[in-house]
Amino acid sequence: MMISVENLSKRYGAVTALDGLTFAIEPGVVGLVGANGAGKSTMIKILLGLLPATTGGARVLGLDVATDGPAIRQRVGYMPEHDCLPADMSATEFVLHMARMSGLPLTAARERTADTLRHVGLYEERYRSMGGYSTGMKQRVKLAQSLVHDPGLLLLDEPTNGLDPAGRDQMLELLRRIGTEFGIPMLVTSHLLGELEQICDHIVVVDGGRLLRSTSTADVTSASRILAIEVDERMDEVGRAMHAAGLLVHPAGRQLEVELVDDSTYDLVLDVVVQLGVGLHRLERRRHRMAEIFRVDPSLDPQSQASASTAGQAAAAALQQQWVTAAQNHRPQESDQPRGGDDEQ
Ligand SMILES: Nc1ncnc2c1ncn2[C@@H]1O[C@H](COP(=O)(O)OP(=O)(O)OP(=O)(O)O)[C@@H](O)[C@H]1O
């Protein structure tokens, strides 16, 4: 197990930063997502053995955070969230210093420093003072110093923070390569679910210090029970005919969405299309979107739901209402007076 956390809580005076978290993650590229203040940095500091938990505990690479902090920090690379680089040092000087601090002999430290800086995409600039670096360059140096001692695990706190969209993409690509090509497991935090979805095998979601989900990305983004259908004309009429055929259908922009019950759903859809003689542009199963993991999971403690998923419940209720309304609007006996041609523009 890469990381296991058991009933972990952390309080700073009256503030509860982490509240009874339990989860376990296998080696891989793992995302820890939550809004600002959700408790991500606190979690990372506890995992490094730098901050004691108030109650509960955690193990990192099999080591106990309460007693094995120094051994954990020797084996783990850490990229802190905030700018922490000395302005008057060059990237080479700084990363070499960090390599020496971790115990590498001088020659090995020099080699590793040059290799690591090249891997993260810093070339001639590495001899210049870091005070003049862009945010993207500083993030690369922070990443390089976390990698230089060849760690068994990386803990990266908001590595895309402050980057523009192109810089974010480059950083995500770099992390993906480090995770897959070099095979270094990592825990990456972000407040942006969409970013982590791109590179992570597993996602842990925290909200207000509580665990909302711990799930594999593949599970969440697997195929849904919804068929998306696009026809070349008369979408409203097609929708009504599908409803008359017993399908649960509703419009979604320029497409119709039909609930997939079993294989016969495909036959019913195709029958309608053939009967009405319209052209079928698209017929495919929708993928789940990662954002759906913010929805309520009934297996979780009810208290965490209340704060966590108001938005999720509202979204689910709105979706339900849409289905009902759409079904009413598609009632066949009203077919001579359809809704005012919406969704056709
Ligand atoms: N040293 C501290 N003393 C008091 N409260 C703290 C301390 N550190 C963090 N907190 C509080 O604990 C909560 C969790 O903070 P934490 O920094 O872990 O969240 P985060 O998810 O990393 O957010 P961010 O991305 O904004 O850093 C917040 O309410 C924060 O204000």
Side-chain angles (χ1 to χ4, degrees), residues 109-171:
R110 282 207 174 110
E111 277 173 20
R112 287 283 310 168
T113 297
D115 286 351
T116 312
L117 285 171
R118 197 166 348 97
H119 278 317
V120 302
L122 281 175
Y123 300 94
E124 293 315 308
E125 329 68 277
R126 67 184 189 271
Y127 302 112
R128 288 207 328 251
S129 297
M130 295 188 287
Y133 281 15
S134 67
T135 308
M137 287 159 73
K138 287 180 182 169
Q139 294 292 63
R140 283 163 195 264
V141 179
K142 287 200 289 178
L143 179 62
Q145 64 76 33
S146 75
L147 272 170
V148 75
H149 61 304
D150 201 13
L153 169 68
L154 286 172
L155 298 180
L156 310 176
D157 201 354
E158 298 264 3
T160 58
N161 215 6
L163 301 180
D164 60 21
R168 277 174 189 273
D169 288 347
Q170 287 166 3
M171 177 58 78

Side-chain angles (χ1 to χ4, degrees), residues 106-259:
L106 185 59
T107 315
R110 282 207 174 110
E111 277 173 20
R112 287 283 310 168
T113 297
D115 286 351
T116 312
L117 285 171
R118 197 166 348 97
H119 278 317
V120 302
L122 281 175
Y123 300 94
E124 293 315 308
E125 329 68 277
R126 67 184 189 271
Y127 302 112
R128 288 207 328 251
S129 297
M130 295 188 287
Y133 281 15
S134 67
T135 308
M137 287 159 73
K138 287 180 182 169
Q139 294 292 63
R140 283 163 195 264
V141 179
K142 287 200 289 178
L143 179 62
Q145 64 76 33
S146 75
L147 272 170
V148 75
H149 61 304
D150 201 13
L153 169 68
L154 286 172
L155 298 180
L156 310 176
D157 201 354
E158 298 264 3
T160 58
N161 215 6
L163 301 180
D164 60 21
R168 277 174 189 273
D169 288 347
Q170 287 166 3
M171 177 58 78
L172 290 171
E173 174 56 21
L174 190 54
L175 297 182
R176 196 192 58 71
R177 273 198 4 242
I178 292 169
T180 53
E181 288 173 27
F182 305 143
I184 303 180
M186 63 180 85
L187 180 73
V188 192
T189 80
S190 173
H191 56 282
L192 299 172
L193 185 62
E195 302 192 332
L196 295 181
E197 184 181 12
Q198 291 174 42
I199 58 163
C200 293
D201 314 315
H202 190 102
I203 306 257
V204 176
V205 188
V206 285
D207 186 74
R210 287 171 169 265
L211 180 73
L212 209 54
R213 277 281 176 106
S214 173
T215 188
S216 94
T217 317
D219 278 356
V220 175
T221 55
S222 62
S224 71
R225 305 295 301 171
I226 293 173
L227 285 183
I229 296 151
E230 205 173 310
V231 289
D232 60 354
E233 56 175 344
R234 296 184 282 148
M235 187 179 96
D236 235 30
E237 197 184 331
V238 173
R240 284 194 297 274
M242 287 181 179
H243 178 61
L247 296 168
L248 190 51
V249 56
H250 80 139
R254 292 171 51 220
Q255 298 184 338
L256 291 165
E257 289 188 342
V258 166
E259 192 184 56

Side-chain angles (χ1 to χ4, degrees), residues 320-330 339:
Q320 180 75 28
Q321 184 57 36
Q322 229 181 341
W323 281 97
V324 171
T325 315
Q328 285 166 349
N329 285 337
H330 281 147
R339 293 161 304 141

Side-chain angles (χ1 to χ4, degrees), residues 259-318:
E259 192 184 56
L260 180 64
V261 179
D262 54 30
D263 281 351
S264 73
T265 307
Y266 287 97
D267 297 335
L268 290 171
V269 166
L270 293 175
D271 286 351
V272 169
V273 168
V274 170
Q275 270 166 24
L276 294 183
V278 292
L280 185 62
H281 278 180
R282 185 185 303 269
L283 172 62
E284 66 186 16
R285 272 177 91 160
R286 281 233 195 283
R287 312 296 296 177
H288 278 298
R289 270 171 309 169
M290 199 73 197
E292 291 172 19
I293 70 175
F294 279 110
R295 295 232 181 114
V296 182
D297 179 343
S299 66
L300 289 169
D301 156 339
Q303 240 188 313
S304 73
Q305 318 277 312
S307 62
S309 281
T310 321
Q313 281 165 336

